Amino acid sequence: MLAIDAAAYRGPWRRLHPAVKGTLFGGLLVCALVLPAWPGAALSALAALAAGFGPARVPPRAFLRAAWAPSLFVLTGAVTLLVSVGGPDGPVAWAPDGARRAAEVSGRAAAALCCQLMFAFTTPLADLLPRLTRLGLPAALVEVVALTYRMLFVLLDTTRRIQAAQAGRLGYRSRAAWIRSLGALGAAVFVRSYDRARRMRRGLECRGYDGTLTVLVEERPVRPAAIVAAVAPPLLVAVAALAAGISPSPG
Amino acid sequence: MTHHTDPAAAPAVLAGRDLVFGYRAGDPVPVFSGVTVEVPAGSVLAVLGPNGGGKTTLLRLLAGSLTPDAGRVVLDGTEVRPTRRGVGELRRRVQLVFQDPDDQLFSASVAQDVSFGPLNQGRPEPEVRERVAWALAALEIADLADRPTHLLSYGQRKRVVLAGALAMRPDVLVLDEPTAGLDPEGVEALLATLGGLRAAGTTLVISTHDVDLAHRWADHAVLLDRRVLAAGPARAVLTDPALLSAARLRPAWGPAVGAALRAAGAVPATAPDPATPGEVIRLTR
Amino acid sequence: MTHHTDPAAAPAVLAGRDLVFGYRAGDPVPVFSGVTVEVPAGSVLAVLGPNGGGKTTLLRLLAGSLTPDAGRVVLDGTEVRPTRRGVGELRRRVQLVFQDPDDQLFSASVAQDVSFGPLNQGRPEPEVRERVAWALAALEIADLADRPTHLLSYGQRKRVVLAGALAMRPDVLVLDEPTAGLDPEGVEALLATLGGLRAAGTTLVISTHDVDLAHRWADHAVLLDRRVLAAGPARAVLTDPALLSAARLRPAWGPAVGAALRAAGAVPATAPDPATPGEVIRLTR
Amino acid sequence: MTIHEVLESWSHNMHIAEGFLPPVHAVAWTVAAAPFVVHGARAVTMAVRTDPDAKLLLGASGAFCFVLSALKIPSVTGSCSHPTGTGLGAVLFRPPVMAALGTVTLLFQALLLAHGGLTTLGANVFSMAVAGPWAGYGGYRLVRALTARLPETTALGLAVFTAATLASLSTYTVTSLQLALAFPDAGSGIPGAFAKFAAVFSLTQIPLAVIEGLITVVIVRLLSTV
């Protein structure tokens, strides 16, 4: 239903412990953010893409579609860095050093985006949420988050069907109709979400619900070898980028 | 694919040709492919098949609620163009009624909900009011007009949704599992109402996995399981056990019992198939 | 009220006596009143009636999901007290499966969801793990164990909910319209699974308005339309057209066809009623 | 692609993307948002402790917030954008709870839709789950106080419209400010950069905020009749 979510469940890395994927892509993300943008960010992006499209077999088309919106944000944001306003050179002028700054910012962000997306594309939220308690979050809060995740799909389904029904009766033909339809949709989905909560309480009571939603989480041990393998790429990227920074650049 | 030719069929008011859908979300296999159906004007077409076979998808494609990945939808002989205008015209003339009435009821009161479509069509207020009254009367729920939708029974909500579609004055009414969730009395009442619409000239497309219902009620039938397994006159398509089994459906009681009773001489050789168990019981009295 | 006595019936594992419910929200008329049912141990009881007749209400009362306004629920001969403890014990031993699986699935993972019930019963972890595996195997969905709930089909979600109920090892399994929304293949697969549970000694209560299903599958039947119209052995209750018509239900094909065929001499006078149209078709070959 | 379409696409997704903020800023905004989120999380935990049913209601509310922010609203040029939903959320659930629900929504948007990032989560939470709801709620209370004599329907409509529009606008203003602080203009510093970012936003965001306000009024009207 949501492309990233569906791919995360289907991918071959589904079985890897989230900590391993977190170490790999999180490490690369940190590299992209703190190392000199060239070649640090470029190497991080390369490593993330190689891991994602290689062994993790992330579907490239879904990846591109997901990357489209944030890339536009990054590009447009970077474009504003090219110009300077209200400075000594007139109301609007090319910013000194603007091109380099824009390239650096967008390069860094693009690399970070690759790392984030590859993590999202390989790690189902259902594997991640139960582990939030490890971060010190109260169990009750984690349960609310997990319920949100489950109900989101039920509600999303309802929303799409209501919207299709409205469109069938020409509810999105004019702007006025669109606003009216969205208002009706928002209200209907709100009522439905409360109805869902009520019905779920009824359904869970029969299964012994007493206020806590305890479930048995299958603990997969983290293999030390896997962690080492996951630490290696970020380390290599860091070493390579720092070495390139120390060695005198040609020319 | 089995195609029974049907010389008596009226020209198709609506057709889907070589429809393909579902190459989405990284799925390598489409929901269905190469689906062609014709909806003869003024008749009832039943679409049958197992769950997941694509019945709802086909209905939504025909009503302009989904856009095919490939193939064409043809309305009155003219291909529907995938523009705002083309799809708008298709949606106006072909009204889809979903299985779950709650997906289509989003206004506070019954009359308000039924007026949603005509208002969006930009009809003047007196005409909208007149259409709402007419649609509520056609479904025999004029007394519910001012009721809040969430206090209605399931059967009543199904009727309100149908009235909402009817108020658009469509040429074709497409109903996804119209009898699902109704009790026998509700089914009979709905069929009586639909019979009235059919007599008034509305073309109907219904999806179902109730072969008895389709056999008793449809003129034409399509068996669908990710592709068209058979299409043609309902009587021919729905009495072929091999075809039905290929579509993972159960044969209908009516024709099976009719054949057995005729063979046993319990009824004359020209007697029609019984439509309900009641008719069989009357025989043995 | 018609009561067919049933001398062969096992003692009731669960019973509702003079149940009244629905004197709420200013409604002067209750949903139903004076309802008495007995659920014989180790058998299948079908509750039939029109929509709005109170089938779901009765099932919820029997499973401790609602508290009656008057009357008693009796478990193994002992009245269930309306205390936390009494109701808790009832809910543990009588598991209710709702019609809509989304009412009972709260976890994103199938195995985690199924583990919820046994954990609430305070079972130690190894036992919970073993029960989850057993319940998933019993419903033939072991391969779905670590699939996300939201990517399952409707039929699969129904099975997961059933597994969740089964993992609590109830004595009685109460199923609200278990076949609703399933296609013929799905219905047969579910009935095969339920047949296995029944053979293993689980008592089943199902609600339906499919008289054919109940006739073919249940040992006992209750006709309910705001009160009990009839109760007794399924074969007796469900072959009486007058009773069925009073409950606003349609007669079943099976017994009607069986009687007609026997009368016509098409089958021996001692032949059983056909359960499916397929059996009738085989006769005329 | 025309300039306008680029601006539109930008406004589709006003969440600050992963890696766009310098690490120091990302950390600073996380620290700034933290007290509000902790306060909200505590409110949620308390509600759940006193009433077990609250857990399911809050889960449903969180799902509602996510779904709401995934809707598409029409914009001026015929393309579309997403509502922030923060004004409606603030009125329905109050700002503290909205801080918690908004954080969950933003986390899910980052991981399920790639809208916004993980390191920029703090900044996005501050603009969308803290600043927006509080501004909207403040506007709502103020208009309610000022219109106490008007008929209830009118007063409620005005207050809700103000809440939704104000919440939407302030969310985007804070985002512009966050970007300006991170990327001061070479010539005119932070004010110049703010003007630059805000000008780019206000072109599309003012009409969108008004439309979100209108939709929210319809929603609340319908809800108050149920």
Side-chain angles (χ1 to χ4, degrees):
Chain A
M1 228 182 322
L2 294 170
I4 297 181
D5 183 71
Y9 286 107
R10 291 206 189 100
W13 278 19
R14 157 95 208 259
R15 313 239 149 238
L16 277 183
H17 197 283
V20 174
K21 292 173 280 197
T23 307
L24 172 63
F25 293 118
L28 290 172
L29 177 61
V30 171
C31 286
L33 291 181
V34 302
L35 290 175
W38 178 260
L43 287 175
S44 305
L46 213 62
L49 292 177
F53 292 136
R57 293 215 297 278
V58 169
R61 269 176 65 185
F63 181 88
L64 283 179
R65 205 169 292 143
W68 172 247
S71 304
L72 269 175
F73 174 91
V74 169
L75 281 181
T76 325
V79 165
T80 53
L81 299 181
L82 290 175
V83 296
S84 164
V85 293
D89 302 332
V92 179
W94 291 110
D97 210 19
R100 193 195 57 77
R101 212 167 150 220
E104 188 188 319
V105 167
S106 49
R108 228 185 249 293
L113 182 65
C114 289
C115 302
Q116 179 205 356
L117 269 179
M118 284 308 180
F119 177 71
F121 263 105
T122 52
T123 314
L125 266 174
D127 293 358
L128 213 54
L129 295 179
R131 293 183 170 82
L132 285 178
T133 40
R134 299 277 168 73
L135 302 176
L137 289 184
L141 203 62
V142 174
E143 285 175 9
V144 170
V145 177
L147 270 175
T148 300
Y149 178 63
R150 165 78 189 112
M151 287 192 177
L152 175 164
F153 290 97
V154 179
L155 273 191
L156 214 50
D157 203 35
T158 302
T159 307
R160 284 176 185 166
R161 281 201 305 249
I162 296 179
Q163 208 157 20
Q166 289 180 324
R169 284 157 77 191
L170 307 178
Y172 293 90
R173 263 247 283 226
S174 64
R175 183 164 301 127
W178 194 332
I179 291 172
R180 204 166 47 227
S181 296
L182 276 185
L185 176 64
V189 173
F190 183 78
V191 172
R192 241 24 136 61
S193 67
Y194 271 66
D195 190 44
R196 276 281 154 215
R198 206 173 41 80
R199 290 170 59 161
M200 197 176 269
R201 195 211 59 212
R202 205 167 76 182
L204 293 184
E205 262 174 7
C206 296
R207 303 174 59 192
Y209 176 62
D210 59 354
T212 54
L213 293 168
T214 332
V215 293
L216 197 59
V217 181
E218 229 19 87
E219 252 330 315
R220 280 166 300 187
V222 195
R223 287 186 302 125
I227 286 285
V228 170
V231 168
L235 265 185
L236 286 175
V237 166
V239 168
L242 290 174
I246 292 163
S247 65
S249 48
Chain B
M1 182 167 73
T2 311
H3 255 288
H4 298 260
T5 50
D6 192 357
V13 57
L14 180 68
R17 305 245 162 88
D18 302 312
L19 295 171
V20 177
F21 186 81
Y23 276 114
R24 252 143 248 209
D27 218 351
V29 187
V31 171
F32 64 32
S33 59
V35 169
T36 294
V37 287
E38 309 267 329
V39 184
S43 64
V44 179
L45 171 72
V47 177
L48 297 104
N51 286 351
K55 297 193 295 294
T56 302
T57 304
L58 175 60
L59 264 45
R60 290 188 64 185
L61 288 168
L62 287 177
S65 165
L66 285 175
T67 311
D69 293 345
R72 302 165 293 145
V73 172
V74 179
L75 183 66
D76 261 342
T78 316
E79 180 175 344
V80 176
R81 322 212 63 217
T83 58
R84 231 180 128 79
R85 191 159 177 185
V87 174
E89 176 68 6
L90 177 64
R91 285 179 177 165
R92 198 191 61 68
R93 296 195 42 203
V94 180
Q95 274 292 302
L96 173 61
V97 175
F98 288 72
Q99 181 177 346
D100 185 350
D102 291 334
D103 292 339
Q104 285 178 291
L105 291 176
F106 34 78
S107 308
S109 86
V110 168
Q112 244 177 51
D113 204 277
V114 175
S115 70
F116 179 80
L119 278 177
N120 289 332
Q121 280 181 285
R123 299 285 144 191
E125 250 198 76
E127 191 189 331
V128 171
R129 206 164 300 128
E130 185 243 306
R131 280 204 194 183
V132 170
W134 169 78
L136 291 176
L139 281 144
E140 295 154 68
I141 46 170
D143 53 318
L144 301 181
D146 299 322
R147 288 268 211 99
T149 47
H150 63 273
L151 290 182
L152 303 177
S153 75
Y154 183 80
Q156 287 173 328
R157 276 178 286 160
K158 278 221 162 187
R159 282 183 172 254
V160 173
V161 170
L162 212 53
L166 215 56
M168 309 270 303
R169 307 240 171 182
D171 299 326
V172 183
L173 207 51
V174 179
L175 309 162
D176 195 7
E177 307 258 5
T179 58
L182 293 177
D183 57 11
E185 207 177 56
V187 171
E188 291 308 320
L190 181 75
L191 291 181
T193 304
L194 291 180
L197 296 177
R198 169 196 201 165
T202 307
T203 306
L204 297 172
V205 180
I206 59 172
S207 77
T208 182
H209 34 234
D210 184 343
V211 182
D212 271 289
L213 174 78
H215 182 263
R216 173 181 158 199
W217 222 74
D219 303 304
H220 308 272
V222 170
L223 297 187
L224 188 75
D225 188 8
R226 288 167 171 258
R227 61 198 180 85
V228 174
L229 298 170
R235 258 138 234 276
V237 172
L238 300 176
T239 49
D240 185 334
L243 271 182
L244 290 172
S245 143
R248 295 189 272 153
L249 294 168
R250 220 170 77 147
W253 283 98
V257 173
L261 291 176
R262 283 189 297 266
V267 293
T270 53
D273 295 332
T276 62
E279 292 178 22
V280 180
I281 293 173
R282 248 163 273 139
L283 277 180
T284 50
R285 282 233 183 98
Chain C
M1 183 165 75
T2 310
H3 257 289
H4 298 259
T5 50
D6 191 358
V13 58
L14 180 67
R17 305 248 161 86
D18 303 312
L19 295 171
V20 177
F21 185 80
Y23 276 116
R24 249 146 253 205
D27 217 352
V29 187
V31 170
F32 64 33
S33 58
V35 170
T36 294
V37 287
E38 309 267 330
V39 184
S43 65
V44 179
L45 171 72
V47 177
L48 297 103
N51 287 349
K55 297 194 294 295
T56 302
T57 305
L58 174 60
L59 264 47
R60 289 185 63 193
L61 287 168
L62 288 177
S65 166
L66 283 176
T67 311
D69 294 342
R72 303 167 291 147
V73 173
V74 178
L75 183 66
D76 261 343
T78 316
E79 180 176 346
V80 175
R81 324 214 61 216
T83 58
R84 220 183 135 79
R85 192 164 176 179
V87 175
E89 175 70 5
L90 177 63
R91 286 181 182 164
R92 198 190 62 66
R93 295 194 43 203
V94 179
Q95 274 293 299
L96 173 59
V97 173
F98 284 84
Q99 184 176 345
D100 183 352
D102 288 332
D103 287 355
Q104 288 181 293
L105 292 174
F106 68 95
S107 171
S109 136
V110 168
Q112 283 175 23
D113 203 282
V114 175
S115 73
F116 176 71
L119 279 176
N120 284 334
Q121 290 179 313
R123 298 287 141 192
E125 266 196 33
E127 190 188 333
V128 172
R129 202 164 293 130
E130 184 244 304
R131 280 202 192 185
V132 170
W134 169 78
L136 292 176
L139 280 144
E140 293 154 71
I141 48 170
D143 54 317
L144 302 182
D146 60 356
R147 284 268 209 98
T149 329
H150 57 267
L151 291 181
L152 301 179
S153 73
Y154 180 80
Q156 288 172 328
R157 274 178 288 154
K158 278 217 162 189
R159 277 180 179 256
V160 174
V161 173
L162 211 52
L166 213 56
M168 301 188 68
R169 308 242 171 180
D171 299 326
V172 183
L173 207 50
V174 180
L175 310 165
D176 196 7
E177 306 258 3
T179 59
L182 296 178
D183 58 9
E185 209 177 54
V187 171
E188 292 307 319
L190 182 74
L191 291 181
T193 303
L194 291 181
L197 297 178
R198 168 196 201 165
T202 307
T203 306
L204 297 172
V205 179
I206 59 172
S207 75
T208 181
H209 35 234
D210 184 342
V211 182
D212 271 290
L213 174 78
H215 181 261
R216 173 180 157 200
W217 222 74
D219 303 304
H220 308 273
V222 170
L223 297 186
L224 187 74
D225 188 8
R226 289 168 170 257
R227 61 199 179 86
V228 174
L229 299 169
R235 258 138 235 277
V237 172
L238 301 176
T239 48
D240 185 333
L243 272 182
L244 290 171
S245 145
R248 294 189 273 153
L249 293 168
R250 216 171 78 150
W253 283 98
V257 173
L261 291 176
R262 283 189 295 267
V267 294
T270 53
D273 296 332
T276 63
E279 292 179 19
V280 180
I281 293 173
R282 246 163 273 139
L283 276 182
T284 49
R285 282 232 181 99
Chain D
M1 195 178 250
T2 67
I3 291 288
H4 218 97
E5 276 174 303
V6 172
L7 295 180
E8 287 284 342
S9 325
W10 188 7
S11 62
H12 275 190
N13 177 11
M14 267 304 303
H15 301 57
I16 300 178
E18 180 61 80
F20 200 77
L21 287 182
V24 177
H25 286 256
V27 171
W29 285 114
T30 305
V31 171
F36 294 94
V37 178
V38 170
H39 177 227
R42 208 167 275 157
V44 166
T45 318
M46 292 276 272
V48 168
R49 260 189 214 132
T50 48
D51 174 14
D53 290 354
K55 192 175 283 174
L56 297 161
L57 283 174
L58 285 162
S61 306
F64 172 72
C65 289
F66 181 91
V67 169
L68 194 69
S69 67
L71 296 181
K72 286 182 179 154
I73 58 176
S75 78
V76 203
T77 52
S79 83
C80 41
S81 174
H82 300 292
T84 63
T86 52
L88 179 62
V91 173
L92 289 176
F93 311 122
R94 302 285 176 270
V97 171
M98 196 52 204
L101 296 183
T103 305
V104 175
T105 302
L106 286 163
L107 177 72
F108 283 0
Q109 285 180 329
L111 289 173
L112 297 174
L113 302 170
H115 288 184
L118 295 173
T119 65
T120 52
L121 188 64
N124 287 325
V125 164
F126 193 86
S127 66
M128 303 198 183
V130 176
W134 276 108
Y137 191 66
Y140 175 80
R141 303 299 323 200
L142 186 70
V143 174
R144 282 302 250 175
L146 292 177
T147 57
R149 290 212 199 116
L150 291 180
E152 170 61 17
T153 331
T154 320
L156 182 68
L158 280 173
V160 167
F161 179 80
T162 311
T165 311
L166 209 59
S168 174
L169 279 179
S170 53
T171 290
Y172 292 122
T173 308
V174 171
T175 304
S176 306
L177 188 67
Q178 289 171 330
L179 293 173
L181 287 171
F183 306 105
D185 188 81
S188 49
I190 292 166
F194 178 73
K196 213 163 50 175
F197 287 113
V200 170
F201 288 124
S202 53
L203 270 182
T204 52
Q205 285 315 318
I206 291 176
L208 283 175
V210 171
I211 290 173
E212 184 173 342
L214 293 175
I215 292 168
T216 310
V217 171
V218 178
I219 294 178
V220 173
R221 272 235 173 105
L222 281 171
L223 286 180
S224 57
T225 60
V226 175

